[in-house]
Amino acid sequence: MYKLFLTLRYLRKRRIAFFAIGAVTLCVAMVLIVLSVMGGWLEQVMQRSRGLLGDIIVDNHTNSGFPLYDEFITEIEKWPEVVKATPVLYSYGLFQIGKTYNGTVRIVGIRLEEVFEVNAFKASLFYEKFYPGTTRFGDQQQAVLGFDPDAPPVKSPEGDEFMMRELPEPYRSALSHADQVHREQTGQPLTDTDSVPDLVDDSRTHYGQPPIPGLFELAEMRNPPGYEGDTLPGVILGRDLIAERQRDGRYERFIPLGEVVRLTMVPITEVGNVDPTPIKRQFRYADDSRTGIYEIDSQHVYVDFGLMQQLLLMDEGKGVDGDVIPARCSQIQIKTIDGADTEALAQRMEDLYLSYLEDPKRELRPIDRDLIARVQAVTWQRQQAHIIGPVQKEKALMTILFGIISLVAVALVLCILYMIVLQKTRDIGIIKAIGGSSVGVAAVWVLYGLAVGVVGCALGSAFGVWFVSNINEIQDALIAINPAWRVWDMQVYSFDRIPSRVATSDLIGVNAIGVLAATVGSVAAAWRAGRMQPVEALRDE
Amino acid sequence: MSNATSDKPLLIATGVSKHYQMGPSRLDVLKACSLHVKRGEFVAIMGRSGSGKSTLLHILGALDTAQAGKVEFDGQDVFGAGSERRRVRFRRNQFGFVFQFYHLLPELTVLENVLITEMIRTPIAGWLARRGDARKRALAIIDRVGLSARIRHRPNELSGGERQRVALARALVHQPAILLADEPTGNLDRESGAGILDLLLGLHGDGQTIVMVTHDKAVADRADRTLNLVDGRLRDE
């Protein structure tokens, strides 16, 4: 009993032990923060680099693309392991919205309905979440908020009656339906927590009306809700192109839905030459996508695959000598069933594509053969290995480095406990004189180290978890004081937020090692205390 | 003076020798010392400062070892096989120590300093069951030494005489067979020393066996029997 009693008493009464606890606390917190940020970073890299990819990607890594993709997709969709496949086009171009805002963007051509089935693109869309079924690439005008003459006026808290601006159909019904579904699923109304409320939202909230998610143009005068402007095809924009992220993580939109977007792109021929005549086309902003990867969200715009193919002259055509020039795509994304052996499947797909070269029924032009010969099929993990691999290595390296630094805590525990043993030499003599055994006295110090480890790890875990949970707010506060103190640059690290999730396995692992290290650090002190002869210890001055 | 002595020796030391090697020279502290202490007897060991009387007491109390000789307690060899464990067992169960410089644990209160002896004797499971009894015994012995009002005080809040009373209570709480007191009054003023001596005599009157080391003849004279340690040899007075 005395071992536990003395351990707890020394822990409370020996202030120098607080330094040992402090060292363990800081080291545990430090390692936990590093592991959490690096682990979270790796997880996000894996998740988000995956986000807009299928399970398997077929690509020939040229700007010219490759033909026969529709035949290939038709064929592989018969395989039981394949759920869906869709072609994708990539190109670069100039983006302009309003009169002044412009920049270089990567233009991605997709078949929207197919992409929804292949990857997580649908979940990244803002307006589609609140107005399901309204996001499309088809021709459209700009939706405007107006005053519905049939709607009853609403009363303000002061008793005034007002007409509220309302959405046109089908947005109004879509929002109502989405809200109803959300209430059925969660019991809560569907609310937009990602955006800063605009003036319309503030006004509606004042009159007790639910806000309207997103930013819409207002109808002139007292016109009813409806649609205005030229009919143009839709375009989906990366969210950072049309909104600005605030300190609290919410977005403030500065471009209303349906605004005219001008894209200028340059066709690339089959042999890789740039067509000298740029293609200019106007679109309407139909939705915005947020993957969480800043490089994607600030540089990607998505248009209809078929339209982009036409604009880039990659659709099927006839050559000057009457030859059929097959349509081309840049990539094929494929979703497989859960548990499929994607490595083996990718190899089968690559073999299938390359077998087109040997098919005597196909009259392929030499240039088509060249483009097909370059086709490779890889899993999404391999496709992104150049991103995931270095992060995995960096995580391991950082963990090892901070683990080594944490040995300082072990050394400090050792020194402090050894010092306490020297200070308490006479006490050790007394305990032995009144019946304490060598093992018992040694156990007091091992328990002491254990207690230092447990208390230090508990405090370190609490601090580490708190720090990781609030890491973005801490950075935001630092930036508010001095912008140069930004430690996580979203342009450098790809993600707009610092990863902030502590893995339970990391928490358990770090605590186990922390307690073990502090206990090991106490062994030398325990050894010395146990070996002390009571008479010599009692004579200690 | 004694009213409870028994003819059967409780503690027997035979030919106990102890020397310290100090470089090339050897210092013989104890030379074949022999003594016996009967149950209920109060024996004083006198000698000049540095004569080796504390060393002898430490050996008798299994705190120290001798290079030669034998110590038997109630027929058992204190330094026999499994010596370290055996010595711990004797110290824990049979002996109670009082030191000249009190040797209390400074982080503990009076009550805790007394209870620590019981804690050492009791495993954690047993302690939870017997804690109440141990506390009662501790409070009773603290009351006997006259410190009931100071149980929550720490040693640095007590006078020298009070500290020595706490040390005495600590030595007695587990009802040891023999109380070994090393100059218990040596660090106290006359009045406090007399108080401690009265307590020892009271305990002896209740049958407690006591071996006390002192250099003060007046204190030694209060014992049943006095042994003199001169030049490392023990002589009856």
Side-chain angles (χ1 to χ4, degrees):
Chain A
M1 177 60 204
Y2 73 104
K3 302 168 198 117
L4 186 62
F5 176 75
L6 288 177
T7 298
L8 296 177
R9 183 54 55 93
Y10 285 161
L11 202 62
R12 278 198 295 137
K13 295 289 174 184
R14 305 304 298 178
R15 286 194 188 147
I16 194 167
F18 296 163
F19 289 101
I21 292 172
V24 175
T25 299
L26 288 177
C27 284
V28 165
M30 182 173 69
V31 174
L32 203 58
I33 291 165
V34 167
L35 269 178
S36 299
V37 172
M38 295 303 295
W41 187 18
L42 177 61
E43 194 180 290
Q44 284 197 22
V45 164
M46 291 184 78
Q47 272 179 2
R48 294 187 180 179
S49 62
R50 164 70 203 271
L52 301 182
L53 291 176
D55 296 314
I56 296 172
I57 298 99
V58 175
D59 201 329
N60 77 342
H61 307 289
T62 70
N63 290 323
S64 306
F66 54 93
L68 304 184
Y69 58 88
D70 268 335
E71 293 93 318
F72 174 79
I73 289 170
T74 305
E75 200 155 340
I76 63 166
E77 281 187 340
K78 292 174 189 164
W79 297 2
E81 300 94 335
V82 175
V83 175
K84 189 75 189 169
T86 186
V88 180
L89 273 171
Y90 287 108
S91 183
Y92 290 93
L94 293 174
F95 162 88
Q96 190 185 2
I97 197 162
K99 287 185 179 164
T100 55
Y101 187 70
N102 58 56
T104 311
V105 289
R106 193 173 197 204
I107 305 167
V108 186
I110 53 174
R111 289 175 179 165
L112 196 58
E113 293 303 321
E114 291 181 6
V115 162
F116 283 176
E117 290 184 60
V118 169
N119 60 34
F121 187 66
K122 187 175 186 178
S124 76
L125 299 177
F126 176 81
Y127 288 95
E128 183 62 17
K129 176 183 173 187
F130 295 99
Y131 310 99
T134 59
T135 298
R136 57 197 178 84
F137 285 144
D139 288 343
Q140 53 197 273
Q141 290 178 284
Q142 184 170 34
V144 291
L145 295 178
F147 297 99
D148 183 355
D150 299 328
V154 294
K155 274 192 176 178
S156 74
E158 295 80 27
D160 306 327
E161 288 196 342
F162 267 91
M163 295 289 285
M164 297 304 303
R165 287 183 185 271
E166 296 292 350
L167 286 160
E169 292 295 351
Y171 285 96
R172 201 165 166 180
S173 303
L175 178 61
S176 170
H177 177 67
D179 181 58
Q180 189 184 341
V181 170
H182 193 267
R183 281 174 194 270
E184 284 168 7
Q185 288 173 348
T186 66
Q188 301 290 323
L190 181 62
T191 50
D192 176 16
T193 53
D194 287 341
S195 310
V196 176
D198 56 27
L199 289 173
V200 172
D201 294 331
D202 291 342
S203 163
R204 290 179 66 87
T205 306
H206 182 71
Y207 289 102
Q209 298 296 304
I212 293 175
L215 183 62
F216 288 86
E217 191 61 85
L218 307 180
E220 288 187 8
M221 304 301 288
R222 299 190 68 81
N223 286 346
Y227 292 89
E228 292 177 353
D230 299 334
T231 301
L232 298 170
V235 61
I236 295 171
L237 306 174
R239 188 174 299 174
D240 288 290
L241 289 167
I242 49 84
E244 189 175 335
R245 194 174 76 84
Q246 306 298 299
R247 272 186 58 198
D248 60 7
R250 294 186 300 170
Y251 279 87
E252 181 169 12
R253 287 183 163 67
F254 47 84
I255 302 292
L257 189 72
E259 191 72 6
V260 174
V261 175
R262 293 172 199 85
L263 292 179
T264 305
M265 38 191 137
V266 182
I268 295 173
T269 66
E270 296 159 305
V271 292
N273 292 331
V274 174
D275 192 308
T277 312
I279 309 293
K280 294 178 186 173
R281 189 70 186 250
Q282 289 191 337
F283 296 83
R284 283 210 183 273
Y285 159 39
D287 206 333
D288 54 77
S289 158
R290 179 174 184 262
T291 64
I293 300 177
Y294 182 73
E295 285 166 8
I296 293 178
D297 297 340
S298 64
Q299 291 173 19
H300 278 50
V301 300
Y302 308 86
V303 298
D304 179 62
F305 177 83
L307 176 60
M308 184 169 169
Q309 207 176 32
Q310 283 175 22
L311 294 172
L312 293 177
L313 309 177
M314 292 174 79
D315 56 339
E316 190 175 285
K318 290 217 170 186
V320 286
D321 51 1
D323 289 352
V324 175
I325 301 171
R328 287 171 285 141
C329 74
S330 306
Q331 197 178 68
I332 301 168
Q333 294 196 15
I334 301 138
K335 180 173 176 59
T336 63
I337 58 169
D338 290 342
D341 181 354
T342 50
E343 288 284 354
L345 212 50
Q347 188 58 53
R348 269 176 69 199
M349 288 176 183
E350 190 172 311
D351 292 344
L352 172 66
Y353 226 115
L354 295 178
S355 73
Y356 294 164
L357 295 171
E358 316 299 329
D359 187 353
K361 288 184 283 185
R362 298 179 195 277
E363 293 179 1
L364 294 169
R365 299 174 306 153
I367 185 62
D368 295 331
R369 300 182 71 84
D370 281 352
L371 293 174
I372 291 172
R374 290 167 176 268
V375 165
Q376 290 180 319
V378 291
T379 61
W380 73 269
Q381 292 97 332
R382 281 188 189 274
Q383 176 86 358
Q384 303 301 75
H386 63 289
I387 299 172
I388 296 168
V391 178
Q392 280 174 325
K393 287 197 175 107
E394 206 165 326
K395 183 191 175 191
L397 184 68
M398 293 291 275
T399 307
I400 290 167
L401 282 177
F402 280 88
I404 291 169
I405 293 168
S406 296
L407 288 177
V408 173
V410 180
L412 203 62
V413 170
L414 189 151
C415 291
I416 288 173
L417 291 193
Y418 204 83
M419 217 155 77
I420 296 174
V421 165
L422 294 180
Q423 284 178 349
K424 305 301 285 180
T425 296
R426 188 179 289 181
D427 286 14
I428 291 166
I430 295 167
I431 294 161
K432 286 196 161 186
I434 59 177
S437 64
S438 296
V439 174
V441 168
V444 170
W445 301 99
V446 173
L447 274 175
Y448 199 38
L450 183 72
V452 165
V454 169
V455 175
C457 283
L459 293 174
S461 297
F463 177 63
V465 169
W466 174 84
F467 191 93
V468 172
S469 304
N470 295 284
I471 196 164
N472 286 290
E473 289 73 15
I474 291 168
Q475 181 185 241
D476 289 342
L478 289 174
I479 295 167
I481 298 166
N482 183 352
W485 289 349
R486 178 185 285 278
V487 289
W488 183 272
D489 190 332
M490 55 188 173
Q491 284 168 320
V492 174
Y493 294 105
S494 298
F495 306 114
D496 48 8
R497 304 290 283 168
I498 307 172
S500 57
R501 194 179 70 81
V502 180
T504 310
S505 57
D506 288 342
L507 194 62
I508 293 169
V510 169
N511 274 280
I513 292 170
V515 171
L516 184 69
T519 310
V520 167
S522 71
V523 167
W527 177 258
R528 183 180 166 90
R531 283 176 59 86
M532 277 182 188
Q533 291 303 314
V535 172
E536 289 166 19
L538 286 171
R539 285 191 190 127
D540 185 69
E541 293 297 328
Chain B
M1 193 177 280
S2 166
N3 57 4
T5 53
S6 157
D7 286 343
K8 190 180 173 189
L10 182 65
L11 185 69
I12 302 171
T14 314
V16 171
S17 297
K18 178 87 176 176
H19 66 260
Y20 294 106
Q21 198 69 40
M22 304 170 94
S25 61
R26 172 175 149 153
L27 177 66
D28 286 301
V29 181
L30 301 174
K31 297 171 186 167
C33 294
S34 297
L35 67 87
H36 65 272
V37 180
K38 290 178 195 163
R39 198 180 293 272
E41 197 177 13
F42 186 174
V43 176
I45 299 171
M46 269 197 67
R48 284 182 305 186
S49 189
S51 60
K53 51 190 187 301
S54 291
T55 303
L56 177 61
L57 192 77
H58 290 154
I59 292 170
L60 294 178
L63 272 178
D64 203 355
T65 53
Q67 274 105 11
K70 190 174 176 184
V71 177
E72 281 179 86
F73 177 84
D74 207 13
Q76 298 175 66
D77 186 357
V78 173
F79 299 104
S83 183
E84 163 66 15
R85 271 192 184 184
R86 184 180 282 255
R87 285 160 57 201
V88 168
R89 206 167 54 240
F90 278 115
R91 291 200 298 262
R92 185 177 292 178
N93 298 318
Q94 307 295 353
F95 302 149
F97 283 95
V98 178
F99 301 98
Q100 180 179 0
F101 297 104
Y102 333 122
H103 289 332
L104 300 175
L105 296 172
E107 280 90 356
L108 274 49
T109 63
V110 167
L111 180 61
E112 289 165 343
N113 260 294
V114 176
L115 272 176
I116 191 77
T117 314
E118 287 289 283
M119 289 185 193
I120 286 172
R121 283 157 46 86
T122 318
I124 192 160
W127 177 255
L128 294 175
R130 295 201 290 271
R131 185 174 48 180
D133 290 343
R135 188 180 158 86
K136 271 185 201 163
R137 269 202 308 280
L139 289 172
I141 197 75
I142 290 170
D143 186 46
R144 175 154 191 186
V145 299
L147 288 174
S148 291
R150 316 293 300 267
I151 57 169
R152 299 195 191 287
H153 288 243
R154 294 188 193 284
N156 61 358
E157 297 163 345
L158 302 175
S159 68
E162 287 171 329
R163 289 182 203 186
Q164 196 60 298
R165 284 164 190 264
V166 178
L168 192 57
R170 181 183 64 188
L172 293 168
V173 70
H174 61 296
Q175 297 165 322
I178 187 162
L179 178 67
L180 302 161
D182 185 3
E183 300 270 16
T185 60
N187 203 36
L188 302 176
D189 58 52
R190 183 176 296 273
E191 192 181 342
S192 301
I196 293 295
L197 194 58
D198 287 344
L199 276 171
L200 290 175
L201 290 169
L203 290 165
H204 173 50
D206 293 343
Q208 177 69 53
T209 309
I210 302 172
V211 177
M212 179 180 68
V213 160
T214 182
H215 65 276
D216 187 340
K217 188 163 186 324
V219 172
D221 284 346
R222 308 286 293 274
D224 293 343
R225 186 155 59 95
T226 302
L227 302 171
N228 279 309
L229 189 60
V230 181
D231 296 333
R233 294 186 192 280
L234 209 51
R235 294 171 191 157
D236 270 318
E237 194 172 72

